[in-house]
Amino acid sequence: MPMYLVLIGPPGAGKGTQAKVLSEQKNLAHVSSGDLFRDNIKRQTELGKQVEAILKRGDLVPDDVTIAMVRDRLKQPDCAAGAVLDGFPRTPAQAAALNKMLGEFGGKVNLVPYINVSEKSLIERLTGRWTCKSCGTVFHQKFNPPKVQGKCDKCGGELAQRPDDQEETVKNRISKYLSETSPLIEFYQKAGVMAELDGEKKIEDVTKQLLAAVAKIR
Ligand code: AP5
Ligand code: MG
Ligand code: ZN
């Protein structure tokens, strides 16, 4: 049976950072809806052109577009054993669609690690974030600096800041999270699959909490 883990948390909580470690350790695909959108924007596909302005503003892409994209991704062969989902679902409609599609794939949401971080930490995390243009590894100028400034530790690629990490856009993303996404916390709590993590701790300590929660899945 494939295993599906859904990382949930506000913008800048550390979903991407933790998903990378978790997917490597558990041999699961890392499926980030944000990364999929950004890749489409980079390649200027039809989808990319359609969503570029939405991401730039920090608004949410419409559910139908997002659900179709993730469904296609989860059907790829590298997701056969399951996936770590990062940034999806983000609305109740997306959560319902995910349950339905995982049922079709013979699986279910096994665990929802919720990375809880206070609003005041988020702005500092996002405005100091640098991401590798080649491999997507995430750094932070203060909390997780690269060994050589501007260069990726893993692949030597060039580091860049995201266009939606300006303070005003970050505030809009947080407000969208609070209104659209935070209801999912209760949804998954009721489903009995939620594991709350203290996301204020250091990156390595959050990873430890995460792996401990995953180890408890029966
Ligand atoms: P997306 O790419 O998913 O962005 P997000 O949810 O806003 O989350 P981030 O990627 O900004 O943060 P993260 O939690 O991954 O944190 P990270 O690990 O990088 O979505 C972008 C946009 O795409 C959305 O605004 C929307 O437009 C669209 N979109 C995507 N999915 C969608 C969906 N399902 N429906 C509709 N629209 C969708 O860490 C952040 C920084 O903090 C890094 O610098 C990191 O090094 C540092 N850090 C991490 N952990 C710690 C720690 N414990 N202590 C100190 N620093 C830390
Ligand atoms: Mg991310
Ligand atoms: Zn890299």
Side-chain angles (χ1 to χ4, degrees), residues 40 49 53 58 69-70 89-90 100-101 107 109 119 131 147 153 156 159 171 182-183 193:
N40 275 279
K49 288 178 196 164
M69 177 185 73
V70 172
R90 243 182 170 84
K100 193 159 163 265
M101 72 176 94
V109 172
E119 211 174 315
T131 308
K147 291 194 183 84
D153 290 0
L159 303 184
K171 285 183 178 156
S182 67
V193 288

mmCIF file with all atom_site columns, all heavy atoms in Angstrom, residues 40 49 53 58 69-70 89-90 100-101 107 109 119 131 147 153 156 159 171 182-183 193:
data_model
loop_
_atom_site.group_PDB
_atom_site.id
_atom_site.type_symbol
_atom_site.label_atom_id
_atom_site.label_alt_id
_atom_site.label_comp_id
_atom_site.label_asym_id
_atom_site.label_entity_id
_atom_site.label_seq_id
_atom_site.pdbx_PDB_ins_code
_atom_site.Cartn_x
_atom_site.Cartn_y
_atom_site.Cartn_z
_atom_site.occupancy
_atom_site.B_iso_or_equiv
_atom_site.pdbx_formal_charge
_atom_site.auth_seq_id
_atom_site.auth_comp_id
_atom_site.auth_asym_id
_atom_site.auth_atom_id
_atom_site.pdbx_PDB_model_num
ATOM 1   N N   . ASN A 1 40  ? 6.562   25.313 -13.766 1.00 0.00 ? 40  ASN A N   1
ATOM 2   C CA  . ASN A 1 40  ? 5.760   25.673 -14.939 1.00 0.00 ? 40  ASN A CA  1
ATOM 3   C C   . ASN A 1 40  ? 5.960   27.135 -15.340 1.00 0.00 ? 40  ASN A C   1
ATOM 4   O O   . ASN A 1 40  ? 5.968   27.466 -16.522 1.00 0.00 ? 40  ASN A O   1
ATOM 5   C CB  . ASN A 1 40  ? 4.273   25.394 -14.680 1.00 0.00 ? 40  ASN A CB  1
ATOM 6   C CG  . ASN A 1 40  ? 3.913   23.943 -14.972 1.00 0.00 ? 40  ASN A CG  1
ATOM 7   O OD1 . ASN A 1 40  ? 3.703   23.564 -16.117 1.00 0.00 ? 40  ASN A OD1 1
ATOM 8   N ND2 . ASN A 1 40  ? 3.898   23.126 -13.932 1.00 0.00 ? 40  ASN A ND2 1
ATOM 9   N N   . LYS A 1 49  ? 1.872   30.332 -17.365 1.00 0.00 ? 49  LYS A N   1
ATOM 10  C CA  . LYS A 1 49  ? 1.395   31.679 -17.710 1.00 0.00 ? 49  LYS A CA  1
ATOM 11  C C   . LYS A 1 49  ? 0.110   32.010 -16.959 1.00 0.00 ? 49  LYS A C   1
ATOM 12  O O   . LYS A 1 49  ? -0.111  33.141 -16.548 1.00 0.00 ? 49  LYS A O   1
ATOM 13  C CB  . LYS A 1 49  ? 1.142   31.773 -19.228 1.00 0.00 ? 49  LYS A CB  1
ATOM 14  C CG  . LYS A 1 49  ? 2.422   31.793 -20.043 1.00 0.00 ? 49  LYS A CG  1
ATOM 15  C CD  . LYS A 1 49  ? 2.074   31.842 -21.532 1.00 0.00 ? 49  LYS A CD  1
ATOM 16  C CE  . LYS A 1 49  ? 3.279   31.481 -22.372 1.00 0.00 ? 49  LYS A CE  1
ATOM 17  N NZ  . LYS A 1 49  ? 2.897   31.152 -23.763 1.00 0.00 ? 49  LYS A NZ  1
ATOM 18  N N   . ALA A 1 53  ? 0.881   35.429 -12.186 1.00 0.00 ? 53  ALA A N   1
ATOM 19  C CA  . ALA A 1 53  ? 0.470   36.639 -11.452 1.00 0.00 ? 53  ALA A CA  1
ATOM 20  C C   . ALA A 1 53  ? -0.128  36.279 -10.087 1.00 0.00 ? 53  ALA A C   1
ATOM 21  O O   . ALA A 1 53  ? 0.030   37.022 -9.117  1.00 0.00 ? 53  ALA A O   1
ATOM 22  C CB  . ALA A 1 53  ? -0.535  37.439 -12.279 1.00 0.00 ? 53  ALA A CB  1
ATOM 23  N N   . GLY A 1 58  ? 0.679   36.289 -4.089  1.00 0.00 ? 58  GLY A N   1
ATOM 24  C CA  . GLY A 1 58  ? 0.533   35.488 -2.875  1.00 0.00 ? 58  GLY A CA  1
ATOM 25  C C   . GLY A 1 58  ? -0.889  34.998 -2.666  1.00 0.00 ? 58  GLY A C   1
ATOM 26  O O   . GLY A 1 58  ? -1.263  34.610 -1.557  1.00 0.00 ? 58  GLY A O   1
ATOM 27  N N   . MET A 1 69  ? -3.338  19.382 -11.461 1.00 0.00 ? 69  MET A N   1
ATOM 28  C CA  . MET A 1 69  ? -1.870  19.318 -11.537 1.00 0.00 ? 69  MET A CA  1
ATOM 29  C C   . MET A 1 69  ? -1.314  18.278 -10.561 1.00 0.00 ? 69  MET A C   1
ATOM 30  O O   . MET A 1 69  ? -0.444  17.474 -10.930 1.00 0.00 ? 69  MET A O   1
ATOM 31  C CB  . MET A 1 69  ? -1.291  20.703 -11.230 1.00 0.00 ? 69  MET A CB  1
ATOM 32  C CG  . MET A 1 69  ? 0.222   20.733 -11.200 1.00 0.00 ? 69  MET A CG  1
ATOM 33  S SD  . MET A 1 69  ? 0.880   22.331 -10.696 1.00 0.00 ? 69  MET A SD  1
ATOM 34  C CE  . MET A 1 69  ? 0.513   22.318 -8.933  1.00 0.00 ? 69  MET A CE  1
ATOM 35  N N   . VAL A 1 70  ? -1.810  18.268 -9.339  1.00 0.00 ? 70  VAL A N   1
ATOM 36  C CA  . VAL A 1 70  ? -1.290  17.334 -8.333  1.00 0.00 ? 70  VAL A CA  1
ATOM 37  C C   . VAL A 1 70  ? -1.669  15.893 -8.688  1.00 0.00 ? 70  VAL A C   1
ATOM 38  O O   . VAL A 1 70  ? -0.872  14.967 -8.536  1.00 0.00 ? 70  VAL A O   1
ATOM 39  C CB  . VAL A 1 70  ? -1.776  17.723 -6.916  1.00 0.00 ? 70  VAL A CB  1
ATOM 40  C CG1 . VAL A 1 70  ? -1.402  16.664 -5.890  1.00 0.00 ? 70  VAL A CG1 1
ATOM 41  C CG2 . VAL A 1 70  ? -1.203  19.078 -6.505  1.00 0.00 ? 70  VAL A CG2 1
ATOM 42  N N   . PRO A 1 89  ? -2.974  19.413 0.430   1.00 0.00 ? 89  PRO A N   1
ATOM 43  C CA  . PRO A 1 89  ? -4.053  20.362 0.118   1.00 0.00 ? 89  PRO A CA  1
ATOM 44  C C   . PRO A 1 89  ? -3.951  21.651 0.936   1.00 0.00 ? 89  PRO A C   1
ATOM 45  O O   . PRO A 1 89  ? -3.296  21.687 1.972   1.00 0.00 ? 89  PRO A O   1
ATOM 46  C CB  . PRO A 1 89  ? -5.303  19.578 0.515   1.00 0.00 ? 89  PRO A CB  1
ATOM 47  C CG  . PRO A 1 89  ? -4.844  18.687 1.628   1.00 0.00 ? 89  PRO A CG  1
ATOM 48  C CD  . PRO A 1 89  ? -3.428  18.313 1.294   1.00 0.00 ? 89  PRO A CD  1
ATOM 49  N N   . ARG A 1 90  ? -4.626  22.674 0.449   1.00 0.00 ? 90  ARG A N   1
ATOM 50  C CA  . ARG A 1 90  ? -4.595  23.989 1.078   1.00 0.00 ? 90  ARG A CA  1
ATOM 51  C C   . ARG A 1 90  ? -5.984  24.573 1.268   1.00 0.00 ? 90  ARG A C   1
ATOM 52  O O   . ARG A 1 90  ? -6.104  25.693 1.748   1.00 0.00 ? 90  ARG A O   1
ATOM 53  C CB  . ARG A 1 90  ? -3.826  24.912 0.139   1.00 0.00 ? 90  ARG A CB  1
ATOM 54  C CG  . ARG A 1 90  ? -2.556  25.494 0.682   1.00 0.00 ? 90  ARG A CG  1
ATOM 55  C CD  . ARG A 1 90  ? -2.067  26.379 -0.425  1.00 0.00 ? 90  ARG A CD  1
ATOM 56  N NE  . ARG A 1 90  ? -1.001  27.240 -0.130  1.00 0.00 ? 90  ARG A NE  1
ATOM 57  C CZ  . ARG A 1 90  ? 0.284   26.915 -0.153  1.00 0.00 ? 90  ARG A CZ  1
ATOM 58  N NH1 . ARG A 1 90  ? 0.668   25.683 -0.350  1.00 0.00 ? 90  ARG A NH1 1
ATOM 59  N NH2 . ARG A 1 90  ? 1.176   27.832 0.047   1.00 0.00 ? 90  ARG A NH2 1
ATOM 60  N N   . LYS A 1 100 ? -10.257 11.442 -2.212  1.00 0.00 ? 100 LYS A N   1
ATOM 61  C CA  . LYS A 1 100 ? -10.868 10.690 -3.297  1.00 0.00 ? 100 LYS A CA  1
ATOM 62  C C   . LYS A 1 100 ? -9.789  10.097 -4.217  1.00 0.00 ? 100 LYS A C   1
ATOM 63  O O   . LYS A 1 100 ? -9.828  8.912  -4.547  1.00 0.00 ? 100 LYS A O   1
ATOM 64  C CB  . LYS A 1 100 ? -11.792 11.634 -4.080  1.00 0.00 ? 100 LYS A CB  1
ATOM 65  C CG  . LYS A 1 100 ? -12.707 10.949 -5.031  1.00 0.00 ? 100 LYS A CG  1
ATOM 66  C CD  . LYS A 1 100 ? -13.918 11.829 -5.373  1.00 0.00 ? 100 LYS A CD  1
ATOM 67  C CE  . LYS A 1 100 ? -14.605 11.334 -6.620  1.00 0.00 ? 100 LYS A CE  1
ATOM 68  N NZ  . LYS A 1 100 ? -14.140 12.037 -7.838  1.00 0.00 ? 100 LYS A NZ  1
ATOM 69  N N   . MET A 1 101 ? -8.817  10.917 -4.594  1.00 0.00 ? 101 MET A N   1
ATOM 70  C CA  . MET A 1 101 ? -7.819  10.380 -5.545  1.00 0.00 ? 101 MET A CA  1
ATOM 71  C C   . MET A 1 101 ? -6.919  9.329  -4.896  1.00 0.00 ? 101 MET A C   1
ATOM 72  O O   . MET A 1 101 ? -6.572  8.333  -5.525  1.00 0.00 ? 101 MET A O   1
ATOM 73  C CB  . MET A 1 101 ? -7.026  11.498 -6.242  1.00 0.00 ? 101 MET A CB  1
ATOM 74  C CG  . MET A 1 101 ? -6.029  12.262 -5.461  1.00 0.00 ? 101 MET A CG  1
ATOM 75  S SD  . MET A 1 101 ? -5.123  13.465 -6.497  1.00 0.00 ? 101 MET A SD  1
ATOM 76  C CE  . MET A 1 101 ? -6.049  14.977 -6.285  1.00 0.00 ? 101 MET A CE  1
ATOM 77  N N   . GLY A 1 107 ? -4.601  4.006  -1.717  1.00 0.00 ? 107 GLY A N   1
ATOM 78  C CA  . GLY A 1 107 ? -3.972  4.478  -0.486  1.00 0.00 ? 107 GLY A CA  1
ATOM 79  C C   . GLY A 1 107 ? -4.860  5.439  0.262   1.00 0.00 ? 107 GLY A C   1
ATOM 80  O O   . GLY A 1 107 ? -6.065  5.523  0.002   1.00 0.00 ? 107 GLY A O   1
ATOM 81  N N   . VAL A 1 109 ? -4.436  9.137  3.250   1.00 0.00 ? 109 VAL A N   1
ATOM 82  C CA  . VAL A 1 109 ? -3.542  10.012 4.001   1.00 0.00 ? 109 VAL A CA  1
ATOM 83  C C   . VAL A 1 109 ? -3.173  9.288  5.291   1.00 0.00 ? 109 VAL A C   1
ATOM 84  O O   . VAL A 1 109 ? -4.015  9.042  6.134   1.00 0.00 ? 109 VAL A O   1
ATOM 85  C CB  . VAL A 1 109 ? -4.228  11.364 4.317   1.00 0.00 ? 109 VAL A CB  1
ATOM 86  C CG1 . VAL A 1 109 ? -3.359  12.188 5.256   1.00 0.00 ? 109 VAL A CG1 1
ATOM 87  C CG2 . VAL A 1 109 ? -4.521  12.139 3.034   1.00 0.00 ? 109 VAL A CG2 1
ATOM 88  N N   . GLU A 1 119 ? 3.335   33.413 14.086  1.00 0.00 ? 119 GLU A N   1
ATOM 89  C CA  . GLU A 1 119 ? 3.339   34.334 12.942  1.00 0.00 ? 119 GLU A CA  1
ATOM 90  C C   . GLU A 1 119 ? 4.597   35.202 12.919  1.00 0.00 ? 119 GLU A C   1
ATOM 91  O O   . GLU A 1 119 ? 5.120   35.513 11.855  1.00 0.00 ? 119 GLU A O   1
ATOM 92  C CB  . GLU A 1 119 ? 2.082   35.193 13.028  1.00 0.00 ? 119 GLU A CB  1
ATOM 93  C CG  . GLU A 1 119 ? 1.578   35.607 11.679  1.00 0.00 ? 119 GLU A CG  1
ATOM 94  C CD  . GLU A 1 119 ? 0.243   36.344 11.761  1.00 0.00 ? 119 GLU A CD  1
ATOM 95  O OE1 . GLU A 1 119 ? -0.649  35.877 12.510  1.00 0.00 ? 119 GLU A OE1 1
ATOM 96  O OE2 . GLU A 1 119 ? 0.119   37.365 11.078  1.00 0.00 ? 119 GLU A OE2 1
ATOM 97  N N   . THR A 1 131 ? 17.008  29.938 -2.105  1.00 0.00 ? 131 THR A N   1
ATOM 98  C CA  . THR A 1 131 ? 16.719  28.615 -2.667  1.00 0.00 ? 131 THR A CA  1
ATOM 99  C C   . THR A 1 131 ? 17.628  28.345 -3.859  1.00 0.00 ? 131 THR A C   1
ATOM 100 O O   . THR A 1 131 ? 17.880  29.244 -4.671  1.00 0.00 ? 131 THR A O   1
ATOM 101 C CB  . THR A 1 131 ? 15.245  28.551 -3.130  1.00 0.00 ? 131 THR A CB  1
ATOM 102 O OG1 . THR A 1 131 ? 14.405  28.964 -2.047  1.00 0.00 ? 131 THR A OG1 1
ATOM 103 C CG2 . THR A 1 131 ? 14.842  27.149 -3.538  1.00 0.00 ? 131 THR A CG2 1
ATOM 104 N N   . LYS A 1 147 ? 27.536  27.126 2.888   1.00 0.00 ? 147 LYS A N   1
ATOM 105 C CA  . LYS A 1 147 ? 28.964  27.223 3.243   1.00 0.00 ? 147 LYS A CA  1
ATOM 106 C C   . LYS A 1 147 ? 29.629  28.357 2.479   1.00 0.00 ? 147 LYS A C   1
ATOM 107 O O   . LYS A 1 147 ? 30.439  29.098 3.021   1.00 0.00 ? 147 LYS A O   1
ATOM 108 C CB  . LYS A 1 147 ? 29.659  25.888 2.956   1.00 0.00 ? 147 LYS A CB  1
ATOM 109 C CG  . LYS A 1 147 ? 29.196  24.791 3.905   1.00 0.00 ? 147 LYS A CG  1
ATOM 110 C CD  . LYS A 1 147 ? 30.111  23.558 3.849   1.00 0.00 ? 147 LYS A CD  1
ATOM 111 C CE  . LYS A 1 147 ? 29.599  22.454 4.755   1.00 0.00 ? 147 LYS A CE  1
ATOM 112 N NZ  . LYS A 1 147 ? 28.551  21.628 4.093   1.00 0.00 ? 147 LYS A NZ  1
ATOM 113 N N   . ASP A 1 153 ? 25.228  24.201 -1.256  1.00 0.00 ? 153 ASP A N   1
ATOM 114 C CA  . ASP A 1 153 ? 26.139  23.202 -0.674  1.00 0.00 ? 153 ASP A CA  1
ATOM 115 C C   . ASP A 1 153 ? 26.064  21.880 -1.417  1.00 0.00 ? 153 ASP A C   1
ATOM 116 O O   . ASP A 1 153 ? 27.053  21.159 -1.519  1.00 0.00 ? 153 ASP A O   1
ATOM 117 C CB  . ASP A 1 153 ? 25.744  22.891 0.784   1.00 0.00 ? 153 ASP A CB  1
ATOM 118 C CG  . ASP A 1 153 ? 26.026  24.057 1.724   1.00 0.00 ? 153 ASP A CG  1
ATOM 119 O OD1 . ASP A 1 153 ? 26.526  25.097 1.241   1.00 0.00 ? 153 ASP A OD1 1
ATOM 120 O OD2 . ASP A 1 153 ? 25.748  23.920 2.928   1.00 0.00 ? 153 ASP A OD2 1
ATOM 121 N N   . GLY A 1 156 ? 26.278  23.132 -5.899  1.00 0.00 ? 156 GLY A N   1
ATOM 122 C CA  . GLY A 1 156 ? 27.051  24.274 -6.399  1.00 0.00 ? 156 GLY A CA  1
ATOM 123 C C   . GLY A 1 156 ? 26.234  25.266 -7.199  1.00 0.00 ? 156 GLY A C   1
ATOM 124 O O   . GLY A 1 156 ? 26.756  26.267 -7.701  1.00 0.00 ? 156 GLY A O   1
ATOM 125 N N   . LEU A 1 159 ? 22.065  30.469 -5.838  1.00 0.00 ? 159 LEU A N   1
ATOM 126 C CA  . LEU A 1 159 ? 20.926  30.662 -4.928  1.00 0.00 ? 159 LEU A CA  1
ATOM 127 C C   . LEU A 1 159 ? 20.145  31.923 -5.311  1.00 0.00 ? 159 LEU A C   1
ATOM 128 O O   . LEU A 1 159 ? 20.736  32.913 -5.735  1.00 0.00 ? 159 LEU A O   1
ATOM 129 C CB  . LEU A 1 159 ? 21.413  30.783 -3.484  1.00 0.00 ? 159 LEU A CB  1
ATOM 130 C CG  . LEU A 1 159 ? 22.246  29.608 -2.945  1.00 0.00 ? 159 LEU A CG  1
ATOM 131 C CD1 . LEU A 1 159 ? 22.582  29.838 -1.468  1.00 0.00 ? 159 LEU A CD1 1
ATOM 132 C CD2 . LEU A 1 159 ? 21.525  28.274 -3.117  1.00 0.00 ? 159 LEU A CD2 1
ATOM 133 N N   . LYS A 1 171 ? 2.734   38.774 3.977   1.00 0.00 ? 171 LYS A N   1
ATOM 134 C CA  . LYS A 1 171 ? 1.564   39.043 4.830   1.00 0.00 ? 171 LYS A CA  1
ATOM 135 C C   . LYS A 1 171 ? 0.289   38.551 4.165   1.00 0.00 ? 171 LYS A C   1
ATOM 136 O O   . LYS A 1 171 ? -0.593  37.992 4.819   1.00 0.00 ? 171 LYS A O   1
ATOM 137 C CB  . LYS A 1 171 ? 1.476   40.532 5.154   1.00 0.00 ? 171 LYS A CB  1
ATOM 138 C CG  . LYS A 1 171 ? 2.512   40.926 6.192   1.00 0.00 ? 171 LYS A CG  1
ATOM 139 C CD  . LYS A 1 171 ? 2.400   42.386 6.579   1.00 0.00 ? 171 LYS A CD  1
ATOM 140 C CE  . LYS A 1 171 ? 3.423   42.733 7.650   1.00 0.00 ? 171 LYS A CE  1
ATOM 141 N NZ  . LYS A 1 171 ? 3.738   44.169 7.657   1.00 0.00 ? 171 LYS A NZ  1
ATOM 142 N N   . SER A 1 182 ? -6.059  26.970 7.367   1.00 0.00 ? 182 SER A N   1
ATOM 143 C CA  . SER A 1 182 ? -6.032  26.530 8.764   1.00 0.00 ? 182 SER A CA  1
ATOM 144 C C   . SER A 1 182 ? -7.245  25.668 9.161   1.00 0.00 ? 182 SER A C   1
ATOM 145 O O   . SER A 1 182 ? -7.117  24.838 10.077  1.00 0.00 ? 182 SER A O   1
ATOM 146 C CB  . SER A 1 182 ? -5.824  27.711 9.717   1.00 0.00 ? 182 SER A CB  1
ATOM 147 O OG  . SER A 1 182 ? -6.931  28.553 9.683   1.00 0.00 ? 182 SER A OG  1
ATOM 148 N N   . PRO A 1 183 ? -8.428  25.780 8.507   1.00 0.00 ? 183 PRO A N   1
ATOM 149 C CA  . PRO A 1 183 ? -9.513  24.836 8.839   1.00 0.00 ? 183 PRO A CA  1
ATOM 150 C C   . PRO A 1 183 ? -9.148  23.361 8.631   1.00 0.00 ? 183 PRO A C   1
ATOM 151 O O   . PRO A 1 183 ? -9.773  22.473 9.223   1.00 0.00 ? 183 PRO A O   1
ATOM 152 C CB  . PRO A 1 183 ? -10.648 25.239 7.882   1.00 0.00 ? 183 PRO A CB  1
ATOM 153 C CG  . PRO A 1 183 ? -10.378 26.670 7.544   1.00 0.00 ? 183 PRO A CG  1
ATOM 154 C CD  . PRO A 1 183 ? -8.880  26.820 7.558   1.00 0.00 ? 183 PRO A CD  1
ATOM 155 N N   . VAL A 1 193 ? -5.457  11.671 12.114  1.00 0.00 ? 193 VAL A N   1
ATOM 156 C CA  . VAL A 1 193 ? -4.156  11.466 11.457  1.00 0.00 ? 193 VAL A CA  1
ATOM 157 C C   . VAL A 1 193 ? -3.180  12.616 11.708  1.00 0.00 ? 193 VAL A C   1
ATOM 158 O O   . VAL A 1 193 ? -2.099  12.670 11.124  1.00 0.00 ? 193 VAL A O   1
ATOM 159 C CB  . VAL A 1 193 ? -4.318  11.283 9.921   1.00 0.00 ? 193 VAL A CB  1
ATOM 160 C CG1 . VAL A 1 193 ? -4.933  9.929  9.605   1.00 0.00 ? 193 VAL A CG1 1
ATOM 161 C CG2 . VAL A 1 193 ? -5.131  12.409 9.307   1.00 0.00 ? 193 VAL A CG2 1
#
